[in-house]
Amino acid sequence: MKNNFVIQPYGKKPYHTGVAVPIFSLRTHQDFGVGQFSDLKLLAEFMKHSGMDIIQLLPINDTTIFMNWKDSSPYRAVSVFALHPIYLDLTPFLAEFTPADRQLYLQTQKELNALNQVDYEKTLTLKWKYAELLYQKIGIKTLANQDFITFHQEHSDWLDSYAAFCTLRDVFHSSDSSKWEKKYHSFSDSLFAELLSDSKLTQKINLYLFVQYLLHLQLKEAVEYCHELGIAVKGDISVGVDRKSADAWANPDLFNLDMQAGAPPDVFSKTGQNWEFPTYNWEQMANDDYAWWKLRMKNMAEYFDAYRLDHILGFFRIWEIPTDAVRGLLGHFAPALALPDWEIENYGIPFRSWGIERFIAPFIKDWVIDEIFGRDNRDEIIFHFLDYIGNGNYRLKEFVNTQHKVTELSDVPEWQIQGLFALHENVCFVRDHQNPNLYHPRIKMMETSSFREFGQEFKKSLERLYNDYFYGRNYAFWEEQVYKKLPAIKNATDMLACGEDLGMVPDNVPDVMWNLKILRLIIERMPATDYFISDLVYTPYLSVVTTSSHDTTPLRLWWEENRDFTQRYYNEIMHWSGVAPEQASPEIIQEIVGRHLNTEAMLAILPIQDWIDMTLDLRVENPEDERINNPAYTYHYWRYRLHLNLEDLRDNNDLTDFYKQFIEQTRRSLPGEE
């Protein structure tokens, strides 16, 4: 079914207002401990009454990798095409269950819905239990239906491999295909045919096909209802896929499975982020004109009018980390123009004459050990983990000579684990991952004790090299890379493209995004300049402005994080005098929200928590309970759920009238709106 709903820049309605909320966070009376695709209908009705017109979601793909609560992150997909079974609404099928099963379902539903947060494991387990019961009742009939046959034919490029992967994952109790029988290590049409020759495996495969079909129908129905109310729906395209995914299993040549993607140090993590995803093999993808990406975009366009391209900087370059590293500091940008030894020496650095190992191997002396572990612990650390190599220098013993090996230690306290990580990172350069004769300055090099050991002359030379490398050397090269791939991917659909361009952003990124008509992301507290906030006065039209994101603290919690920052913001930005209150009152939230809605940005999409916190009566007591994710932790439990039912929000006329009038007093209601 073609999506004819269009939201584009400079349209009949120039400015749009919306709500950002994960599906799993929605709450209605008919849910089953988690939000469901059908909840979008109630959310759309609430927004219609409130004068809003766009919903922004997090990724909605199946994430069943670990088969436990770690799968709660929507950014670690087992398939970037398959929808998550946890969002299936089984209520329309209750009549298909026996009275006993129906009664148990309703009782369990009541218990799960009473929880303040999502119980991911219990909810998903029970969803699958009832999905299997439903398949036993109507599965064969459904799969024989022509509508299903058409759905299967149109999605077979990914659907068959996904169903086969999930089946084998269940059989071997692992998502790591290298641990399966050898003949199952990679997908092929012949392998799929072999699986279908086994009646038991066929039943499992058909169950996965059946559930995907039901999810597809429910999401399509919900989105079409949103469109009837004039509400657009914006999806989210995660930056990567898990190495233990159906996508990597079926298309291993499209990924660098010996590398990991992440991010350099930023406001979220001082040691960088390691997402553990394989990086993309862009050269291989270019051979068929990015067919995999185009298929992914067309699949998204079946449901969404717009999308957020997570970490758009990854299309310029990605932060690539070796698989034996744990934290992000030992990574480097890829692709990037790495440095040969002679070019490093042109900066006056005796790279070869002093020995390359001095620059690329962990620099470990007594005073370094004391600094990291404490003087009283020096002898213990040396005895257990280090070998003396002369001239006051040490090296890590073989059993801890990678960060990954360090993680395998047992009965070692956390402070020693972190200290060993820091020793590994105490280098000035890292080798290029493709060419070992080329080098990259280690990110945050000047903060290492290895750097501090040098004299002032060499420090200045290293700092000059560092700044040349990170702030200019690669910019034109990265721009060339992005123009090779991103236009073809973006132009595969008519969806409105938005990019998440936060972090260590090259100067030319805004121009590239403007040329490609991709909306930028503006978060006031995360400035792209040296000023302490982003000046909303200069927000460009082709942008999305928001008060918070799923990775940041919501406004109320942010207000309490840094007292000095809040005070400055209160006086210089809000222009309110006196001492800033310790907590953000509804009036403070309203002031901040109002300034965002009055920007030139085409889209103003705010987290539902920040909308609700504009009121006093409806806000949750503890603002900490509103946080969705903490990026400082690789495995955060994503379980935030609204404390209010959408039915009650929709039917609260005082609330929806307040929102509507508030929005009408801002730029969001400029002439042109019907």
Side-chain angles (χ1 to χ4, degrees):
M1 189 178 300
K2 184 173 174 59
N3 180 1
N4 294 314
F5 194 90
V6 176
I7 177 171
Q8 292 294 341
Y10 312 107
K12 188 173 184 179
K13 183 179 180 185
Y15 300 100
H16 302 270
T17 314
V19 167
V21 61
I23 287 284
F24 60 79
S25 298
L26 298 175
R27 182 187 291 271
T28 72
H29 292 303
Q30 74 170 24
D31 282 332
F32 197 78
V34 69
Q36 303 174 144
F37 287 147
S38 56
D39 294 348
L40 289 173
K41 299 176 186 178
L42 285 169
L43 178 62
E45 291 174 356
F46 160 70
M47 293 177 62
K48 179 68 173 180
H49 296 332
S50 301
M52 307 177 194
D53 62 356
I54 185 167
I55 297 169
Q56 178 171 309
L57 304 174
L58 296 187
I60 56 175
N61 304 108
D62 188 357
T63 58
T64 311
I65 300 287
F66 299 99
M67 292 170 281
N68 58 35
W69 66 265
K70 291 181 180 180
D71 294 329
S72 63
S73 169
Y75 287 95
R76 189 179 294 277
V78 71
S79 167
V80 298
F81 301 94
L83 302 173
H84 204 308
I86 204 168
Y87 301 135
L88 179 64
D89 184 358
L90 289 157
T91 306
F93 305 104
L94 285 181
E96 302 292 343
F97 301 138
T98 65
D101 286 332
R102 185 161 57 247
Q103 182 179 0
L104 182 59
Y105 178 93
L106 294 172
Q107 178 61 36
T108 307
Q109 178 186 51
K110 183 177 180 180
E111 294 171 0
L112 290 173
N113 276 343
L115 298 177
N116 292 329
Q117 296 179 309
V118 177
D119 185 332
Y120 182 89
E121 293 179 4
K122 185 175 182 179
T123 298
L124 183 59
T125 298
L126 289 169
K127 286 256 185 169
W128 270 115
K129 171 186 174 180
Y130 285 100
E132 289 186 46
L133 289 175
L134 183 62
Y135 174 75
Q136 291 169 14
K137 292 285 291 185
I138 66 171
I140 295 176
K141 179 181 178 181
T142 300
L143 269 56
N145 185 285
Q146 183 58 49
D147 287 342
F148 169 79
I149 294 172
T150 301
F151 166 78
H152 185 222
Q153 290 173 340
E154 292 178 348
H155 299 85
S156 61
D157 285 343
W158 63 266
L159 188 54
D160 289 346
S161 58
Y162 161 77
F165 179 90
C166 293
T167 297
L168 291 170
R169 175 199 63 203
D170 297 345
V171 168
F172 293 104
H173 307 290
S174 172
S175 297
D176 186 349
S177 60
S178 67
K179 296 180 179 179
W180 303 348
E181 288 183 26
K182 187 174 181 180
K183 65 179 180 179
Y184 300 132
H185 283 186
S186 61
F187 178 78
S188 65
D189 291 338
S190 59
L191 173 63
F192 189 64
E194 179 182 338
L195 294 176
L196 291 178
S197 67
D198 185 316
S199 60
K200 290 184 178 180
L201 295 182
T202 298
Q203 289 300 306
K204 289 286 292 182
I205 288 172
N206 285 342
L207 172 62
Y208 282 105
L209 299 178
F210 172 72
V211 169
Q212 284 301 307
Y213 177 60
L214 296 185
L215 288 163
H216 167 77
L217 294 179
Q218 290 189 352
L219 181 55
K220 286 290 290 184
E221 179 186 0
V223 169
E224 287 167 8
Y225 185 76
C226 291
H227 290 170
E228 291 175 11
L229 297 182
I231 309 293
V233 185
K234 180 183 175 188
D236 195 330
I237 299 179
S238 60
V239 63
V241 303
D242 198 279
R243 69 181 63 254
K244 298 185 292 294
S245 67
D247 298 312
W249 180 60
N251 307 281
D253 57 321
L254 300 183
F255 305 94
N256 298 314
L257 295 171
D258 57 343
M259 288 295 155
Q260 305 175 98
D266 56 20
V267 295
F268 297 124
S269 175
K270 293 181 180 180
T271 59
Q273 298 178 49
N274 182 356
W275 303 325
E276 301 179 349
F277 304 142
T279 56
Y280 293 118
N281 183 345
W282 287 111
E283 291 184 3
Q284 182 65 32
M285 287 181 164
N287 290 336
D288 61 4
D289 196 25
Y290 310 102
W292 182 85
W293 266 103
K294 290 179 178 180
L295 180 65
R296 184 178 181 182
M297 300 302 292
K298 290 175 181 176
N299 191 68
M300 286 283 292
E302 290 194 58
Y303 313 111
F304 298 111
D305 314 296
Y307 61 90
R308 170 188 177 272
L309 197 57
D310 181 37
H311 197 65
I312 194 173
L313 299 180
F315 286 88
F316 290 78
R317 76 296 185 272
I318 197 71
W319 190 249
E320 194 171 68
I321 307 164
T323 52
D324 61 10
V326 174
R327 305 200 298 198
L329 288 171
L330 293 176
H332 67 67
F333 286 123
L337 301 174
L339 297 156
D341 46 26
W342 61 264
E343 190 172 359
I344 294 173
E345 291 167 352
N346 284 347
Y347 281 84
I349 300 165
F351 194 66
R352 285 175 288 189
S353 62
W354 280 12
I356 293 175
E357 292 298 307
R358 169 62 185 88
F359 297 89
I360 67 171
F363 176 73
I364 308 174
K365 288 181 176 290
D366 286 336
W367 70 268
V368 175
I369 300 169
D370 295 348
E371 188 175 271
I372 293 175
F373 296 95
R375 174 63 186 89
D376 293 343
N377 300 305
R378 181 202 295 174
D379 293 342
E380 178 186 0
I381 296 301
I382 293 173
F383 176 77
H384 287 294
F385 305 115
L386 303 175
D387 290 324
Y388 184 69
I389 56 176
N391 298 319
N393 297 302
Y394 301 87
R395 69 182 171 206
L396 289 151
K397 292 180 181 293
E398 185 176 355
F399 78 99
V400 288
N401 65 1
T402 70
Q403 288 187 338
H404 182 71
K405 288 181 180 180
V406 172
T407 64
E408 297 177 340
L409 297 176
S410 59
D411 300 324
V412 174
E414 183 64 20
W415 64 271
Q416 291 186 5
I417 297 291
Q418 297 302 316
L420 292 171
F421 285 168
L423 286 182
H424 278 285
E425 295 158 352
N426 193 28
V427 298
C428 290
F429 290 85
V430 296
R431 288 188 188 272
D432 185 76
H433 298 153
Q434 292 188 342
N435 186 339
N437 296 316
L438 298 176
Y439 307 89
H440 305 260
R442 204 217 80 173
I443 191 76
K444 301 288 185 181
M445 178 212 307
M446 284 80 79
E447 297 179 7
T448 67
S449 51
S450 178
F451 172 82
R452 286 189 278 114
E453 175 78 357
F454 291 113
Q456 285 301 117
E457 179 183 353
F458 292 120
K459 284 182 181 177
K460 290 180 180 178
S461 297
L462 284 167
E463 190 167 355
R464 182 162 58 89
L465 178 151
Y466 182 95
N467 290 329
D468 288 347
Y469 176 87
F470 280 110
Y471 303 104
R473 176 184 179 91
N474 288 287
Y475 286 4
F477 175 64
W478 289 335
E479 184 172 332
E480 176 185 334
Q481 300 305 305
V482 78
Y483 278 124
K484 287 180 180 178
K485 54 194 121 166
L486 197 49
I489 295 169
K490 174 183 177 292
N491 294 335
T493 73
D494 293 328
M495 289 186 292
L496 176 67
C498 308
E500 183 269 297
D501 56 327
L502 305 176
M504 198 172 177
V505 182
D507 292 342
N508 53 358
V509 169
D511 287 340
V512 171
M513 293 180 69
W514 187 88
N515 288 335
L516 296 178
K517 298 298 181 285
I518 299 174
L519 276 62
R520 300 182 60 200
L521 177 62
I522 307 294
I523 299 180
E524 187 181 31
R525 74 182 87 165
M526 299 179 69
T529 65
D530 293 334
Y531 193 45
F532 82 114
I533 55 100
S534 292
D535 193 337
L536 296 180
V537 172
Y538 300 106
T539 301
Y541 176 70
L542 292 179
S543 66
V544 182
V545 66
T546 187
T547 48
S548 316
S549 79
H550 60 275
D551 280 334
T552 69
T553 48
L555 280 178
R556 279 176 64 203
L557 191 56
W558 165 71
W559 188 265
E560 301 173 12
E561 285 179 342
N562 185 323
R563 186 65 184 164
D564 292 337
F565 188 100
T566 299
Q567 185 63 56
R568 183 180 179 187
Y569 183 89
Y570 186 76
N571 297 141
E572 293 185 24
I573 305 303
M574 295 176 61
H575 301 296
W576 289 13
S577 60
V579 178
E582 293 185 2
Q583 298 177 339
S585 66
E587 291 74 23
I588 289 175
I589 303 296
Q590 290 172 28
E591 172 68 18
I592 297 173
V593 169
R595 288 190 303 101
H596 283 74
L597 299 190
N598 272 312
T599 63
E600 286 277 359
M602 175 187 172
L603 305 182
I605 306 177
L606 317 183
I608 199 165
Q609 304 98 302
D610 292 345
W611 281 112
I612 291 174
D613 286 342
M614 293 172 66
T615 69
L616 183 62
D617 296 338
L618 297 180
R619 53 169 55 182
V620 70
E621 181 177 355
N622 184 1
E624 184 68 42
D625 294 339
E626 296 181 320
R627 182 153 199 174
I628 296 175
N629 178 42
N630 186 343
Y633 302 99
T634 301
Y635 298 111
H636 176 82
Y637 196 165
W638 298 59
R639 59 191 313 196
Y640 165 70
R641 198 158 182 232
L642 275 173
H643 61 294
L644 303 166
N645 286 307
L646 289 176
E647 295 95 336
D648 298 331
L649 289 175
R650 177 199 60 190
D651 297 338
N652 188 334
N653 294 331
D654 290 340
L655 178 68
T656 56
D657 287 347
F658 164 70
Y659 287 140
K660 189 170 185 179
Q661 292 169 16
F662 190 93
I663 294 168
E664 286 175 347
Q665 295 171 8
T666 70
R667 181 186 298 275
R668 303 293 111 188
S669 291
L670 283 181
E673 181 178 1
E674 294 180 342

